[in-house]
């Protein structure tokens, strides 16, 4: 089995010391998802069936279970012992979790992933899906990456996605999707379906956000890895989305714009829907 070069592993979360929490980690999920209040304008002049009761429409994701894993947690920096505890991810042992990265002005990856994940959950639920998040807030510690995978497995999710953003050198740009590889383990049977999920998310993310493919990792925004517990331990189709580089000023500014985060959430919802309806 080919080991990945160390540089590839230095994606998110290795900037632990920089993630001291700056007060910008507040939960902003409350301002998510503007309701679709389309005006039924006065253009309906013809009196077409005013009394007709519309039958309940089947939503496109009725019956689907989706697990969203907002990367890291806003409280992780407070408990290094807990998050540095070594856990078994089958191909190696590694830390239970990490603090994640942050922008130059202190907007944390944990706050970003929490906000995007809640927006995404709202959109998917409106489309009929049953959605479960792997953490309940952005002020606590963990859970471990092993538990994050277990939550998707236990839910028998039709699809699971772990939401992250990266901490790469400032000049680097773009998003990428991380897809599991076979490891002679439980994930093997969902490697193919995870790949299809990853391709659907790549297409929808590029179209919906306009962000470029990663300039620094993977090939055409796809990176296949066997060192991530969240993927190695998954028995349901699962990928990670690294939404962009929080250290890049252009992307940092966009990630701090709620409207752009809504765009990201919509793109991810479309990608998931495309995969689930294919
Ligand atoms: Zn991360």
């Amino acid at each position: 089995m080919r080991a990945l070069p160390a540089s590839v592993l230095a994606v998110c979360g290795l900037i632990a010391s920089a993630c001291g929490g700056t007060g910008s980690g507040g939960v902003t999920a409350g301002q998510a998802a503007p309701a679709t209040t389309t005006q039924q304008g006065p253009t309906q002049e013809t009196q077409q069936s005013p009394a007709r009761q519309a039958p309940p429409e089947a939503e496109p994701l009725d019956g689907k279970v989706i697990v969203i894993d907002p990367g890291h947690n806003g409280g992780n920096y407070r408990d290094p012992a807990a998050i540095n505890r070594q856990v078994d991810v089958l191909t190696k042992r590694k830390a239970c979790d990490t603090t994640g990265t942050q922008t130059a002005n202190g907007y944390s990856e944990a706050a970003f992933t929490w906000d995007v994940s809640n927006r995404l959950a709202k959109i998917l639920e409106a489309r009929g899906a049953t959605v479960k998040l792997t953490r309940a807030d952005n002020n606590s510690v963990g859970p471990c990456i092993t538990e994050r995978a277990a939550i998707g497995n236990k839910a028998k999710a039709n699809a699971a996605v772990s939401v992250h953003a990266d901490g790469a050198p400032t000049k680097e740009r773009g998003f990428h999707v991380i897809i599991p590889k076979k490891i002679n383990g439980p994930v093997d049977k969902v490697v193919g379906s995870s790949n299809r999920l990853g391709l659907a998310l790549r297409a929808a993310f590029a179209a919906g956000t306009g962000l470029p493919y990663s300039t620094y990792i993977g090939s055409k925004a796809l990176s296949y890895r066997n060192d991530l517990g969240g993927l190695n331990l998954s028995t349901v189709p699962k990928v990670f989305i690294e939404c962009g580089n929080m250290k890049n000023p252009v992307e940092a500014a966009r990630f701090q714009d709620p409207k752009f985060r809504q765009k990201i959430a919509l793109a991810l919802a479309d990608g998931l829907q495309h995969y689930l309806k294919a």
Side-chain angles (χ1 to χ4, degrees):
M1 198 171 310
R2 209 148 48 94
L4 289 169
S7 61
V8 173
L9 304 181
V11 279
C12 80
L14 296 191
I15 332 272
S17 60
C19 295
T22 56
S24 69
V27 176
T28 47
Q31 61 189 142
T36 46
T37 47
T38 323
Q39 275 205 330
Q40 298 284 349
T43 46
Q44 285 185 320
E45 285 167 56
T46 50
Q47 278 206 310
Q48 293 268 337
S49 58
R52 210 180 79 197
Q53 199 88 6
E57 290 253 338
E59 299 296 342
L61 294 176
D62 276 348
K64 301 295 185 187
V65 177
I66 298 169
V67 168
I68 306 169
D69 174 35
H72 316 282
N73 198 327
N76 279 3
Y77 71 94
R78 286 200 311 265
D79 197 345
I83 68 161
N84 289 329
R85 182 168 69 83
Q86 295 291 297
V87 296
D88 181 4
V89 304
L90 303 180
T91 51
K92 61 190 293 190
R93 292 180 67 78
K94 65 193 299 188
C96 151
D97 202 7
T98 58
T99 56
T101 188
Q102 62 178 358
T103 63
N105 63 342
Y107 179 58
S108 73
E109 182 188 352
F112 169 77
T113 66
W114 177 245
D115 183 76
V116 167
S117 296
N118 279 279
R119 291 171 186 276
L120 175 57
K122 271 201 182 120
I123 298 164
L124 293 171
E125 281 167 352
R127 295 182 188 180
T130 299
V131 179
K132 189 167 176 53
L133 267 61
T134 58
R135 57 180 165 106
D137 57 54
N138 193 39
N139 305 302
S140 358
V141 179
C144 287
I145 50 180
T146 46
E147 176 63 15
R148 291 172 191 262
I151 290 169
N153 298 347
K154 194 174 168 202
K156 296 189 164 49
N158 297 102
V161 60
S162 193
V163 180
H164 289 257
D166 221 345
T170 55
K171 67 173 193 307
E172 304 291 1
R173 287 212 53 194
F175 79 94
H176 67 282
V177 181
I178 306 175
I179 299 172
K181 289 165 55 161
K182 286 191 179 178
I183 56 166
N184 260 326
V187 74
D188 289 11
K189 69 181 168 70
V190 293
V191 157
S193 50
S194 297
N195 190 49
R196 289 193 295 280
L197 171 61
L199 295 175
L201 284 174
R202 178 182 66 171
F205 197 94
T209 68
L211 289 180
Y213 288 172
S214 173
T215 55
Y216 60 94
I217 199 167
S219 170
K220 295 183 178 155
L222 302 179
S223 172
Y224 293 85
R225 289 175 59 172
N226 61 7
D227 63 310
L228 295 173
L231 297 181
N232 285 354
L233 296 162
S234 185
T235 56
V236 298
K238 183 172 179 185
V239 299
F240 279 40
I241 176 84
E242 292 280 359
C243 294
N245 179 14
M246 297 195 90
K247 300 294 187 189
N248 176 274
V250 175
E251 291 179 5
R254 303 199 81 181
F255 292 163
Q256 288 173 84
D257 175 0
K259 289 203 284 287
F260 193 73
R261 294 198 297 273
Q262 185 68 16
K263 244 185 195 186
I264 291 175
L266 270 169
L268 293 174
D270 289 347
L272 281 158
Q273 183 169 329
H274 193 260
Y275 165 75
L276 290 167
K277 302 304 282 182

